[in-house]
């Protein structure tokens, strides 16, 4: 089951990467980045469910070991927090860009190239 | 049963993900993104991560996609709606297929990725206790990050300075 979940995560990540590289609309690129965040979250939760660290396995089923299954879920929650912050800032930048340059096309944004 | 559910969920997630990167209309892409997020939430339920499934629906479905739709409305100009792809899209396709090959090979070749001994699920109350005890400091840092991002977003979107009307 773990390998299927990891493959699913890899496919979603690569779809997101294709979107980031191929789209010209900044909003579409942001949405593709969200897909990549989600792929990472799937992988984190799947690994924390199916993989037992060697040290935990050796110690046997103790209370602290039951909690170690939650590490991946906690990390995924933090990834979601960072994704929310990223979307807020990205869209604020987008609105400023539209106000100043009147475009959402990433190829038209070349202020630093001139 | 789990396997059938997994294939259904995975199929929906992948189809919607492909829709996000291929839809010509950006609003359609946002709706595909919503579907894909719902699929990921279902996968979390399948993995006994109920809290994350709830958070996924709330944050992604309820907040992020809505904010993206708001941004689309604020920036809507006829020609922005339908967007062309970058003319270098074959490079992007080759790069992502190559990355997928790398990831898939590492999953297939690594024995540790074949672990099927699912660990016991832990309840949602346990996750809360863990978040506020062991992860208390990162939790507070995350809240500061959100606050800073919020203030930054307001400052950037307001466009302060004298050059703005």
């Amino acid at each position: 089951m773990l390998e299927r979940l990891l493959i699913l995560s890899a496919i979603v990540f690569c779809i997101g990467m294709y979107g980031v590289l191929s789209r010209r609309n900044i909003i579409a690129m942001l949405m593709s980045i969200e897909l990549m965040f989600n792929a990472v979250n799937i992988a984190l939760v799947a690994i924390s469910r199916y993989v037992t660290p060697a040290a935990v396995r050796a110690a046997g089923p103790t209370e602290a070991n039951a909690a170690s299954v939650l590490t991946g879920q906690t990390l995924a929650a933090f990834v979601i927090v960072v994704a929310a912050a990223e979307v807020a800032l990205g869209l604020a930048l987008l609105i400023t860009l539209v106000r100043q340059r009147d475009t959402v096309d990433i190829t038209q944004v070349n202020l630093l190239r001139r | 049963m789990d396997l059938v559910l997994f294939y259904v969920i995975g199929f929906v997630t992948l189809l919607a993900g492909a829709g996000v990167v291929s839809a010509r209309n950006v609003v359609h892409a946002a709706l595909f993104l919503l579907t894909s997020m719902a699929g990921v939430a279902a996968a979390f339920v399948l993995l006994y991560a109920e809290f994350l499934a709830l958070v996924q629906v709330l944050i992604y479905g309820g907040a992020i996609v809505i904010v993206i739709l708001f941004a689309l409305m604020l920036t809507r100009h006829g020609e922005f709606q339908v967007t062309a792809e970058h003319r270098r899209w074959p490079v992007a396709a080759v790069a992502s297929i190559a990355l997928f090959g790398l990831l898939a090979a590492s999953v297939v070749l690594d024995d540790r990725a074949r672990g099927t001994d699912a660990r016991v699920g832990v309840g949602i109350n346990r996750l809360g206790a863990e978040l506020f005890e062991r992860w208390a400091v990162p939790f507070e840092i995350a809240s500061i990050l959100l606050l800073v991002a919020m203030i930054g977003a307001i400052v950037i979107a307001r466009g302060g300075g004298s050059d703005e009307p």
Side-chain angles (χ1 to χ4, degrees):
Chain A
M1 196 62 193
L2 177 60
E3 71 273 19
R4 292 191 184 92
L5 281 156
L6 288 179
I7 293 286
L8 171 71
S9 156
I11 298 175
V12 175
F13 190 89
C14 292
I15 289 175
M17 193 178 106
Y18 171 76
V20 171
L21 293 176
S22 72
R23 301 304 289 261
R24 282 168 62 184
N25 188 317
I26 295 174
I27 302 177
M29 290 176 77
L30 266 176
M31 289 194 274
S32 305
I33 293 174
E34 294 310 307
L35 273 183
M36 293 166 79
F37 273 118
N38 272 276
V40 173
N41 276 348
I42 294 175
L44 278 173
V45 178
I47 290 174
S48 83
R49 173 148 175 77
Y50 285 104
V51 176
T52 314
V56 172
R57 197 193 294 270
T62 62
E63 179 70 357
N65 290 349
S68 77
V69 79
L70 292 170
T71 306
Q73 293 190 24
T74 318
L75 281 174
F78 286 126
V79 170
I80 291 176
V81 169
V82 173
E86 176 257 338
V87 163
L89 282 176
L91 291 176
L93 284 172
L94 170 91
I95 287 171
T96 309
L97 185 74
V98 169
R99 203 181 281 159
Q100 294 193 347
R101 311 284 308 261
D102 202 34
T103 180
V104 290
D105 187 343
I106 195 76
T107 58
Q108 301 298 311
V109 185
N110 50 5
L111 275 172
L112 288 180
R113 192 183 277 180
R114 286 182 294 175
Chain B
M1 185 59 197
D2 260 16
L3 208 57
V4 176
L5 271 178
F6 169 76
Y7 278 120
V8 172
I9 289 168
F11 188 70
V12 169
T13 308
L14 290 181
L15 216 61
V20 172
V21 296
S22 64
R24 297 266 138 209
N25 190 324
V26 184
V27 178
H28 293 174
L31 296 178
F32 275 124
L33 182 70
L34 188 57
T35 315
S36 188
M37 300 298 151
V40 174
F44 285 162
V45 172
L46 213 59
L47 287 165
Y48 293 91
E50 302 92 351
F51 175 72
L52 276 183
L54 288 173
V55 166
Q56 176 86 6
V57 171
L58 271 175
I59 306 289
Y60 276 107
I64 289 184
V65 173
I66 300 299
V67 169
I68 286 177
L69 286 174
F70 265 117
L72 278 175
M73 284 194 293
L74 286 174
T75 61
R76 170 179 283 180
H77 290 230
E79 78 270 30
F80 295 167
Q81 276 261 310
V82 180
T83 56
E85 267 163 4
H86 216 276
R87 65 177 182 283
R88 287 196 298 266
W89 69 267
V91 181
V94 169
S96 39
I97 288 171
L99 179 68
F100 173 69
L102 202 66
L103 292 173
S106 64
V107 168
V108 169
L109 294 181
D110 194 339
D111 284 339
R112 283 171 297 180
R114 242 179 297 293
T116 47
D117 50 336
R119 312 173 71 189
V120 287
V122 190
I124 199 168
N125 47 356
R126 190 60 203 270
L127 180 64
E130 193 78 355
L131 205 55
F132 283 103
E133 285 166 11
R134 193 166 147 218
W135 298 89
V137 175
F139 185 85
E140 298 302 331
I141 294 174
S143 63
I144 294 174
L145 173 76
L146 274 181
L147 181 68
V148 170
M150 191 171 74
I151 296 172
I154 293 170
V155 170
I156 292 172
R158 259 183 75 237
S162 52
D163 54 331
E164 284 291 317

